Amino acid sequence: MTALQHLQPTSHSLLSALPSGWVGEILDGELVASPRLSVAPARAAFMMGVELGERLDPRRGGTGRWCFLRAPELHLGEDVLVPDLAGWRRERVAAPPEPGAAFFTLVPDWICEVLTPATTALDRARKLPLYARAGVSHVWLVDPVARTLEAYQRIKRGWLLTASHEDDALVRAEPFPSVPLELGSLWLPDAAEELPRLVAVP
């Protein structure tokens, strides 16, 4: 299977038939498979959730104004999308999600996609328009290789780039302008600060 493979015909049942290590999405009736995040993007997604969760999720002592989920399966009309992170304003979540829920139909207020060489074109060219069509208000694109964050807000004609940050910047961006995000916390440490080596277990 290539880094980004398009499969036909499309069926929701094909999502569960994908090999381990691949994420399936249905975009405009087409099943698209992409590899799961490698180490650097996975850390960026995890740390983004930690940074925001500690300030905005009530169970982490935050304000309680948001509900965040890591890689939720979203059924938005006929499309099935799996963003790296998604957030809903608490006032729009009438009740906690069912513990066994396999997917969600409530459109997120905010989505974060972590770019990789295999998914950058997919995230920018195909998924961004679908998020706008579904009514997502804000999208962040994080690139752990370039060490950048781009914040977009949906307007009538599509997406407006409202902020761009890089390296170790302190970020305050919509829809979380009161939350100072230390961008440097998302990146893997430099060689001089290298984390203990992780060894994959077969």
Side-chain angles (χ1 to χ4, degrees), residues 34-87:
S34 53
R36 293 192 181 277
L37 297 181
S38 57
V39 174
R43 175 184 169 85
F46 172 77
M47 291 303 298
M48 177 72 77
V50 169
E51 290 285 328
L52 295 177
E54 287 187 345
R55 293 164 175 80
L56 298 170
D57 192 297
R59 290 189 177 274
R60 299 295 298 170
T63 63
R65 290 178 292 171
W66 286 80
C67 173
F68 297 103
L69 288 175
R70 171 80 175 88
E73 183 176 307
L74 305 176
H75 290 207
L76 307 179
E78 296 299 315
D79 299 311
V80 177
L81 300 111
V82 184
D84 295 311
L85 285 164

Short mmCIF file of all heavy atoms in Angstrom, two decimals, residues 34-87:
data_model
loop_
_atom_site.label_atom_id
_atom_site.label_comp_id
_atom_site.label_asym_id
_atom_site.label_seq_id
_atom_site.Cartn_x
_atom_site.Cartn_y
_atom_site.Cartn_z
N SER A 34 -4.51 6.71 4.76
CA SER A 34 -3.22 7.36 5.03
C SER A 34 -2.60 6.74 6.27
O SER A 34 -3.31 6.22 7.13
CB SER A 34 -3.39 8.88 5.21
OG SER A 34 -4.38 9.16 6.18
N PRO A 35 -1.28 6.75 6.36
CA PRO A 35 -0.62 6.10 7.51
C PRO A 35 -0.84 6.85 8.80
O PRO A 35 -1.00 8.07 8.81
CB PRO A 35 0.87 6.12 7.11
CG PRO A 35 0.98 7.27 6.16
CD PRO A 35 -0.31 7.33 5.41
N ARG A 36 -0.85 6.11 9.91
CA ARG A 36 -0.95 6.74 11.21
C ARG A 36 0.29 7.61 11.46
O ARG A 36 1.33 7.44 10.84
CB ARG A 36 -1.09 5.69 12.32
CG ARG A 36 -2.41 4.93 12.25
CD ARG A 36 -2.65 4.11 13.49
NE ARG A 36 -3.90 3.39 13.40
CZ ARG A 36 -5.09 3.89 13.69
NH1 ARG A 36 -5.18 5.15 14.09
NH2 ARG A 36 -6.19 3.18 13.57
N LEU A 37 0.16 8.53 12.39
CA LEU A 37 1.23 9.49 12.66
C LEU A 37 2.50 8.80 13.14
O LEU A 37 2.45 7.89 13.98
CB LEU A 37 0.78 10.50 13.71
CG LEU A 37 -0.40 11.41 13.34
CD1 LEU A 37 -0.70 12.35 14.49
CD2 LEU A 37 -0.13 12.18 12.06
N SER A 38 3.63 9.25 12.62
CA SER A 38 4.92 8.79 13.12
C SER A 38 5.27 9.57 14.38
O SER A 38 4.46 10.34 14.91
CB SER A 38 6.00 8.96 12.04
OG SER A 38 6.06 10.33 11.64
N VAL A 39 6.50 9.43 14.89
CA VAL A 39 6.84 9.94 16.22
C VAL A 39 6.68 11.45 16.34
O VAL A 39 6.01 11.94 17.26
CB VAL A 39 8.27 9.52 16.59
CG1 VAL A 39 8.69 10.18 17.91
CG2 VAL A 39 8.36 8.00 16.72
N ALA A 40 7.28 12.23 15.45
CA ALA A 40 7.23 13.69 15.59
C ALA A 40 5.81 14.23 15.48
O ALA A 40 5.39 15.04 16.33
CB ALA A 40 8.16 14.35 14.56
N PRO A 41 5.02 13.85 14.48
CA PRO A 41 3.64 14.32 14.43
C PRO A 41 2.79 13.82 15.60
O PRO A 41 1.94 14.54 16.11
CB PRO A 41 3.12 13.76 13.10
CG PRO A 41 4.32 13.48 12.29
CD PRO A 41 5.38 13.09 13.27
N ALA A 42 3.03 12.58 16.04
CA ALA A 42 2.27 12.04 17.17
C ALA A 42 2.53 12.85 18.43
O ALA A 42 1.62 13.13 19.21
CB ALA A 42 2.62 10.57 17.39
N ARG A 43 3.80 13.22 18.64
CA ARG A 43 4.11 14.05 19.82
C ARG A 43 3.43 15.41 19.71
O ARG A 43 2.86 15.91 20.70
CB ARG A 43 5.62 14.24 19.96
CG ARG A 43 5.97 15.21 21.11
CD ARG A 43 7.45 15.48 21.21
NE ARG A 43 7.72 16.58 22.12
CZ ARG A 43 7.85 16.47 23.44
NH1 ARG A 43 7.70 15.30 24.03
NH2 ARG A 43 8.10 17.53 24.20
N ALA A 44 3.46 16.01 18.52
CA ALA A 44 2.84 17.33 18.34
C ALA A 44 1.35 17.27 18.65
O ALA A 44 0.81 18.14 19.34
CB ALA A 44 3.07 17.83 16.92
N ALA A 45 0.66 16.23 18.15
CA ALA A 45 -0.77 16.09 18.41
C ALA A 45 -1.05 15.87 19.88
O ALA A 45 -1.96 16.47 20.47
CB ALA A 45 -1.34 14.94 17.57
N PHE A 46 -0.25 15.00 20.51
CA PHE A 46 -0.45 14.71 21.94
C PHE A 46 -0.23 15.95 22.79
O PHE A 46 -1.05 16.28 23.66
CB PHE A 46 0.51 13.60 22.37
CG PHE A 46 0.52 13.36 23.86
CD1 PHE A 46 -0.51 12.65 24.45
CD2 PHE A 46 1.55 13.85 24.64
CE1 PHE A 46 -0.52 12.44 25.83
CE2 PHE A 46 1.56 13.64 26.01
CZ PHE A 46 0.52 12.94 26.61
N MET A 47 0.87 16.66 22.54
CA MET A 47 1.19 17.82 23.36
C MET A 47 0.21 18.96 23.13
O MET A 47 -0.08 19.74 24.05
CB MET A 47 2.62 18.28 23.10
CG MET A 47 3.68 17.31 23.61
SD MET A 47 3.53 16.95 25.38
CE MET A 47 3.81 18.59 26.08
N MET A 48 -0.33 19.08 21.91
CA MET A 48 -1.36 20.08 21.67
C MET A 48 -2.57 19.80 22.55
O MET A 48 -3.14 20.70 23.18
CB MET A 48 -1.78 20.07 20.20
CG MET A 48 -2.90 21.05 19.87
SD MET A 48 -2.39 22.78 19.91
CE MET A 48 -1.53 22.86 18.34
N GLY A 49 -2.97 18.53 22.63
CA GLY A 49 -4.08 18.16 23.48
C GLY A 49 -3.80 18.44 24.95
O GLY A 49 -4.67 18.90 25.69
N VAL A 50 -2.56 18.16 25.38
CA VAL A 50 -2.18 18.41 26.77
C VAL A 50 -2.23 19.91 27.07
O VAL A 50 -2.81 20.34 28.08
CB VAL A 50 -0.77 17.86 27.05
CG1 VAL A 50 -0.25 18.36 28.40
CG2 VAL A 50 -0.77 16.34 27.01
N GLU A 51 -1.63 20.71 26.20
CA GLU A 51 -1.56 22.16 26.44
C GLU A 51 -2.96 22.77 26.53
O GLU A 51 -3.24 23.57 27.42
CB GLU A 51 -0.76 22.83 25.31
CG GLU A 51 0.72 22.53 25.33
CD GLU A 51 1.46 23.29 26.42
OE1 GLU A 51 1.05 24.41 26.75
OE2 GLU A 51 2.44 22.73 26.96
N LEU A 52 -3.83 22.41 25.60
CA LEU A 52 -5.18 22.98 25.59
C LEU A 52 -6.05 22.36 26.69
O LEU A 52 -6.84 23.04 27.34
CB LEU A 52 -5.83 22.78 24.22
CG LEU A 52 -5.17 23.53 23.07
CD1 LEU A 52 -5.87 23.20 21.75
CD2 LEU A 52 -5.20 25.04 23.31
N GLY A 53 -5.90 21.05 26.88
CA GLY A 53 -6.72 20.37 27.87
C GLY A 53 -6.49 20.89 29.28
O GLY A 53 -7.44 21.04 30.06
N GLU A 54 -5.23 21.16 29.63
CA GLU A 54 -4.93 21.62 30.98
C GLU A 54 -5.54 22.99 31.27
O GLU A 54 -5.76 23.34 32.43
CB GLU A 54 -3.42 21.67 31.20
CG GLU A 54 -2.79 20.28 31.33
CD GLU A 54 -1.33 20.35 31.71
OE1 GLU A 54 -0.74 21.45 31.56
OE2 GLU A 54 -0.77 19.31 32.12
N ARG A 55 -5.83 23.76 30.24
CA ARG A 55 -6.38 25.10 30.44
C ARG A 55 -7.88 25.16 30.22
O ARG A 55 -8.55 26.04 30.77
CB ARG A 55 -5.68 26.09 29.51
CG ARG A 55 -4.21 26.30 29.86
CD ARG A 55 -3.46 26.98 28.72
NE ARG A 55 -2.09 27.30 29.08
CZ ARG A 55 -1.09 26.41 29.07
NH1 ARG A 55 -1.32 25.16 28.73
NH2 ARG A 55 0.13 26.77 29.42
N LEU A 56 -8.43 24.24 29.42
CA LEU A 56 -9.83 24.36 29.01
C LEU A 56 -10.70 23.17 29.37
O LEU A 56 -11.92 23.26 29.27
CB LEU A 56 -9.89 24.61 27.49
CG LEU A 56 -9.23 25.90 27.02
CD1 LEU A 56 -9.13 25.92 25.50
CD2 LEU A 56 -10.00 27.11 27.51
N ASP A 57 -10.11 22.04 29.73
CA ASP A 57 -10.90 20.87 30.09
C ASP A 57 -11.08 20.83 31.60
O ASP A 57 -10.10 20.89 32.34
CB ASP A 57 -10.21 19.60 29.61
CG ASP A 57 -11.13 18.38 29.69
OD1 ASP A 57 -11.54 18.05 30.82
OD2 ASP A 57 -11.42 17.78 28.65
N PRO A 58 -12.32 20.73 32.10
CA PRO A 58 -12.54 20.80 33.55
C PRO A 58 -11.86 19.69 34.33
O PRO A 58 -11.47 19.87 35.48
CB PRO A 58 -14.07 20.72 33.68
CG PRO A 58 -14.53 20.06 32.42
CD PRO A 58 -13.57 20.54 31.37
N ARG A 59 -11.70 18.51 33.74
CA ARG A 59 -11.07 17.42 34.47
C ARG A 59 -9.57 17.63 34.64
O ARG A 59 -8.91 16.90 35.37
CB ARG A 59 -11.34 16.08 33.76
CG ARG A 59 -12.78 15.65 33.85
CD ARG A 59 -12.98 14.24 33.33
NE ARG A 59 -14.35 13.81 33.49
CZ ARG A 59 -14.84 13.26 34.60
NH1 ARG A 59 -14.06 13.08 35.63
NH2 ARG A 59 -16.11 12.89 34.66
N ARG A 60 -9.01 18.60 33.93
CA ARG A 60 -7.60 18.94 34.10
C ARG A 60 -7.44 20.27 34.83
O ARG A 60 -6.38 20.88 34.81
CB ARG A 60 -6.92 19.03 32.72
CG ARG A 60 -6.94 17.74 31.92
CD ARG A 60 -6.14 16.65 32.60
NE ARG A 60 -4.73 17.04 32.71
CZ ARG A 60 -3.83 16.38 33.42
NH1 ARG A 60 -4.19 15.34 34.12
NH2 ARG A 60 -2.57 16.77 33.46
N GLY A 61 -8.52 20.72 35.47
CA GLY A 61 -8.45 21.96 36.22
C GLY A 61 -8.66 23.20 35.37
O GLY A 61 -8.45 24.32 35.83
N GLY A 62 -9.11 23.02 34.13
CA GLY A 62 -9.31 24.15 33.23
C GLY A 62 -10.67 24.80 33.42
O GLY A 62 -11.42 24.48 34.33
N THR A 63 -10.98 25.71 32.52
CA THR A 63 -12.20 26.49 32.64
C THR A 63 -13.45 25.68 32.33
O THR A 63 -14.55 26.08 32.71
CB THR A 63 -12.16 27.69 31.67
OG1 THR A 63 -12.10 27.19 30.32
CG2 THR A 63 -10.94 28.56 31.94
N GLY A 64 -13.31 24.58 31.61
CA GLY A 64 -14.46 23.75 31.28
C GLY A 64 -15.24 24.22 30.08
O GLY A 64 -16.35 23.74 29.83
N ARG A 65 -14.67 25.14 29.30
CA ARG A 65 -15.42 25.71 28.18
C ARG A 65 -15.35 24.86 26.92
O ARG A 65 -16.08 25.12 25.97
CB ARG A 65 -14.91 27.11 27.88
CG ARG A 65 -15.27 28.13 28.97
CD ARG A 65 -14.70 29.49 28.65
NE ARG A 65 -13.24 29.47 28.72
CZ ARG A 65 -12.47 30.48 28.31
NH1 ARG A 65 -13.03 31.56 27.78
NH2 ARG A 65 -11.17 30.41 28.44
N TRP A 66 -14.47 23.84 26.90
CA TRP A 66 -14.29 23.04 25.70
C TRP A 66 -14.25 21.55 26.02
O TRP A 66 -13.90 21.16 27.14
CB TRP A 66 -12.99 23.42 24.98
CG TRP A 66 -13.06 24.74 24.27
CD1 TRP A 66 -12.94 25.98 24.82
CD2 TRP A 66 -13.29 24.94 22.88
NE1 TRP A 66 -13.08 26.95 23.87
CE2 TRP A 66 -13.29 26.35 22.66
CE3 TRP A 66 -13.49 24.08 21.79
CZ2 TRP A 66 -13.49 26.90 21.41
CZ3 TRP A 66 -13.67 24.63 20.54
CH2 TRP A 66 -13.68 26.02 20.34
N CYS A 67 -14.58 20.76 25.01
CA CYS A 67 -14.44 19.30 25.06
C CYS A 67 -13.54 18.90 23.90
O CYS A 67 -13.84 19.23 22.74
CB CYS A 67 -15.81 18.63 24.94
SG CYS A 67 -15.73 16.83 24.80
N PHE A 68 -12.42 18.22 24.18
CA PHE A 68 -11.45 17.83 23.16
C PHE A 68 -11.42 16.31 22.99
O PHE A 68 -11.56 15.56 23.97
CB PHE A 68 -10.04 18.31 23.52
CG PHE A 68 -9.91 19.79 23.59
CD1 PHE A 68 -9.87 20.45 24.83
CD2 PHE A 68 -9.83 20.56 22.44
CE1 PHE A 68 -9.74 21.82 24.90
CE2 PHE A 68 -9.71 21.94 22.51
CZ PHE A 68 -9.67 22.57 23.74
N LEU A 69 -11.20 15.86 21.77
CA LEU A 69 -11.03 14.44 21.49
C LEU A 69 -9.87 14.26 20.53
O LEU A 69 -9.66 15.07 19.61
CB LEU A 69 -12.30 13.84 20.88
CG LEU A 69 -13.50 13.66 21.81
CD1 LEU A 69 -14.70 13.16 21.03
CD2 LEU A 69 -13.17 12.71 22.96
N ARG A 70 -9.13 13.19 20.73
CA ARG A 70 -7.99 12.84 19.88
C ARG A 70 -8.45 11.90 18.79
O ARG A 70 -9.02 10.84 19.05
CB ARG A 70 -6.91 12.18 20.74
CG ARG A 70 -5.75 11.56 19.97
CD ARG A 70 -4.73 12.57 19.52
NE ARG A 70 -3.61 11.89 18.89
CZ ARG A 70 -3.57 11.58 17.60
NH1 ARG A 70 -4.55 11.93 16.79
NH2 ARG A 70 -2.51 10.96 17.10
N ALA A 71 -8.25 12.29 17.53
CA ALA A 71 -8.55 11.47 16.34
C ALA A 71 -9.96 10.88 16.37
O ALA A 71 -10.14 9.68 16.18
CB ALA A 71 -7.51 10.36 16.19
N PRO A 72 -10.99 11.72 16.55
CA PRO A 72 -12.35 11.18 16.51
C PRO A 72 -12.78 10.90 15.07
O PRO A 72 -12.32 11.55 14.13
CB PRO A 72 -13.19 12.32 17.09
CG PRO A 72 -12.45 13.55 16.66
CD PRO A 72 -10.98 13.18 16.75
N GLU A 73 -13.64 9.92 14.90
CA GLU A 73 -14.23 9.66 13.59
C GLU A 73 -15.48 10.52 13.46
O GLU A 73 -16.43 10.39 14.23
CB GLU A 73 -14.59 8.19 13.42
CG GLU A 73 -15.15 7.86 12.03
CD GLU A 73 -15.40 6.39 11.84
OE1 GLU A 73 -14.45 5.59 12.08
OE2 GLU A 73 -16.52 6.01 11.45
N LEU A 74 -15.47 11.44 12.50
CA LEU A 74 -16.56 12.38 12.30
C LEU A 74 -17.36 12.00 11.06
O LEU A 74 -16.79 11.84 9.98
CB LEU A 74 -16.02 13.80 12.13
CG LEU A 74 -15.10 14.34 13.23
CD1 LEU A 74 -14.59 15.72 12.85
CD2 LEU A 74 -15.83 14.39 14.56
N HIS A 75 -18.66 11.84 11.21
CA HIS A 75 -19.56 11.61 10.08
C HIS A 75 -20.27 12.93 9.81
O HIS A 75 -21.24 13.29 10.49
CB HIS A 75 -20.54 10.50 10.40
CG HIS A 75 -19.91 9.14 10.47
ND1 HIS A 75 -20.60 7.97 10.21
CD2 HIS A 75 -18.64 8.76 10.76
CE1 HIS A 75 -19.78 6.93 10.34
NE2 HIS A 75 -18.59 7.40 10.68
N LEU A 76 -19.77 13.66 8.83
CA LEU A 76 -20.29 14.97 8.49
C LEU A 76 -20.97 14.88 7.12
O LEU A 76 -20.31 14.93 6.09
CB LEU A 76 -19.16 16.01 8.47
CG LEU A 76 -18.31 16.07 9.75
CD1 LEU A 76 -17.22 17.13 9.61
CD2 LEU A 76 -19.17 16.34 10.97
N GLY A 77 -22.27 14.70 7.13
CA GLY A 77 -22.98 14.44 5.89
C GLY A 77 -22.55 13.09 5.35
O GLY A 77 -22.52 12.10 6.07
N GLU A 78 -22.14 13.05 4.09
CA GLU A 78 -21.67 11.82 3.47
C GLU A 78 -20.19 11.59 3.69
O GLU A 78 -19.66 10.54 3.31
CB GLU A 78 -21.97 11.85 1.96
CG GLU A 78 -23.44 11.89 1.61
CD GLU A 78 -24.17 10.66 2.11
OE1 GLU A 78 -23.65 9.53 1.95
OE2 GLU A 78 -25.26 10.81 2.69
N ASP A 79 -19.52 12.56 4.28
CA ASP A 79 -18.07 12.45 4.47
C ASP A 79 -17.75 11.84 5.84
O ASP A 79 -18.44 12.09 6.83
CB ASP A 79 -17.40 13.83 4.36
CG ASP A 79 -17.61 14.46 3.00
OD1 ASP A 79 -17.38 13.77 2.00
OD2 ASP A 79 -18.02 15.64 2.95
N VAL A 80 -16.68 11.06 5.87
CA VAL A 80 -16.15 10.51 7.12
C VAL A 80 -14.71 11.01 7.24
O VAL A 80 -13.86 10.67 6.41
CB VAL A 80 -16.18 8.97 7.13
CG1 VAL A 80 -15.56 8.43 8.42
CG2 VAL A 80 -17.61 8.45 6.98
N LEU A 81 -14.46 11.82 8.27
CA LEU A 81 -13.15 12.43 8.44
C LEU A 81 -12.59 12.11 9.82
O LEU A 81 -13.34 11.99 10.78
CB LEU A 81 -13.23 13.94 8.25
CG LEU A 81 -13.72 14.40 6.88
CD1 LEU A 81 -15.10 15.03 7.01
CD2 LEU A 81 -12.76 15.37 6.24
N VAL A 82 -11.26 11.99 9.89
CA VAL A 82 -10.60 11.69 11.16
C VAL A 82 -9.51 12.73 11.37
O VAL A 82 -8.35 12.53 10.98
CB VAL A 82 -10.01 10.27 11.17
CG1 VAL A 82 -9.39 9.96 12.55
CG2 VAL A 82 -11.07 9.23 10.82
N PRO A 83 -9.84 13.88 11.96
CA PRO A 83 -8.81 14.88 12.26
C PRO A 83 -7.92 14.41 13.40
O PRO A 83 -8.30 13.54 14.18
CB PRO A 83 -9.64 16.11 12.66
CG PRO A 83 -10.88 15.52 13.24
CD PRO A 83 -11.17 14.29 12.43
N ASP A 84 -6.74 14.99 13.51
CA ASP A 84 -5.83 14.59 14.58
C ASP A 84 -6.35 15.05 15.94
O ASP A 84 -6.15 14.35 16.94
CB ASP A 84 -4.43 15.15 14.31
CG ASP A 84 -3.82 14.53 13.06
OD1 ASP A 84 -3.84 13.30 12.95
OD2 ASP A 84 -3.35 15.28 12.19
N LEU A 85 -7.01 16.20 15.99
CA LEU A 85 -7.65 16.68 17.21
C LEU A 85 -8.91 17.44 16.82
O LEU A 85 -8.97 18.05 15.74
CB LEU A 85 -6.73 17.63 17.99
CG LEU A 85 -5.57 17.04 18.78
CD1 LEU A 85 -4.58 18.14 19.13
CD2 LEU A 85 -6.07 16.37 20.05
N ALA A 86 -9.91 17.41 17.70
CA ALA A 86 -11.13 18.17 17.46
C ALA A 86 -11.63 18.71 18.79
O ALA A 86 -11.43 18.10 19.84
CB ALA A 86 -12.20 17.32 16.80
N GLY A 87 -12.28 19.88 18.74
CA GLY A 87 -12.81 20.49 19.96
C GLY A 87 -14.19 21.06 19.73
O GLY A 87 -14.48 21.59 18.66
#
